Amino acid sequence: KSFNKIVIGFFSFLLIVMVILFAEQLQLLLLNFVQNRGIYSRTLNKILSGSILQLSGRDALWAYYLELICEKPFFGWGLVGGWIGDGSGPHNMLISLLLAFGCIGGGLLCVLSIGLMFRVFFIKDKMLQTIVLLYCARNIGMFFISGNFLDNANWMIFVALCLASFKIKLNSTL
């Protein structure tokens, strides 16, 4: 067992070193692979161009919506209230919740939403945990860079699966 661990560790280390040394070539190879199959990956192109951390104007949107939250901090603006227009929402689910429901209601919903993300790690049924984990991973980006909880079926399914993971024990004497 020790020999196997050493061999696996060595090859893992070697693989990591190779990936680091040839990262640019691997990225170009991956880009050519997906483009030859007619797949366009905005994320891959942003990584290769070095612009992955640019916010594409979202920082200006966030500043605008944070100002609106400050204007009506208690009850918020209502669903899609204060939005500039279709496609120009906050691009951040947490800001959307605060904007719609105010700091109290929206804050509570933000805490509950984040709590659901952590719920994944405490689900005992492994099959359900795997499914919930997939939906959790699908929704992480929505929290911070592209989220709107109103028209996102993946978010609704994730919430439903998390709620279904809470088992209620009924008294068996019924």
Side-chain angles (χ1 to χ4, degrees), residues 2 36 42 66 68 107-108 136 163:
S2 296
N36 288 338
R42 179 176 180 262
L66 289 172
L68 285 182
L108 179 63
C136 179
L163 294 175

Side-chain angles (χ1 to χ4, degrees), residues 57-137:
R58 286 186 170 96
D59 50 344
L61 283 174
W62 294 341
Y64 169 77
Y65 288 114
L66 289 172
E67 282 182 30
L68 285 182
I69 290 168
C70 291
E71 287 179 21
K72 293 186 177 182
F74 296 110
F75 299 111
W77 289 79
L79 298 177
V80 299
W83 281 30
I84 296 170
D86 194 27
S88 296
H91 286 77
N92 181 307
M93 190 178 109
L94 302 175
I95 293 175
S96 293
L97 290 170
L98 293 171
L99 182 69
F101 302 106
C103 292
I104 298 169
L108 179 63
L109 288 171
C110 287
V111 169
L112 290 172
S113 298
I114 293 168
L116 287 179
M117 291 289 180
F118 285 105
R119 170 73 182 136
V120 174
F121 302 107
F122 300 100
I123 298 174
K124 292 186 173 134
D125 181 336
K126 291 301 175 190
M127 184 176 287
L128 180 59
Q129 183 185 37
T130 302
I131 294 169
V132 175
L133 184 61
L134 289 171
Y135 277 98
C136 179

Side-chain angles (χ1 to χ4, degrees), residues 40-49 51-52 145:
Y40 172 76
S41 173
R42 179 176 180 262
T43 304
L44 188 57
N45 283 324
K46 287 181 77 70
I47 289 171
L48 290 174
S49 69
S51 63
I52 190 70
I145 56 173

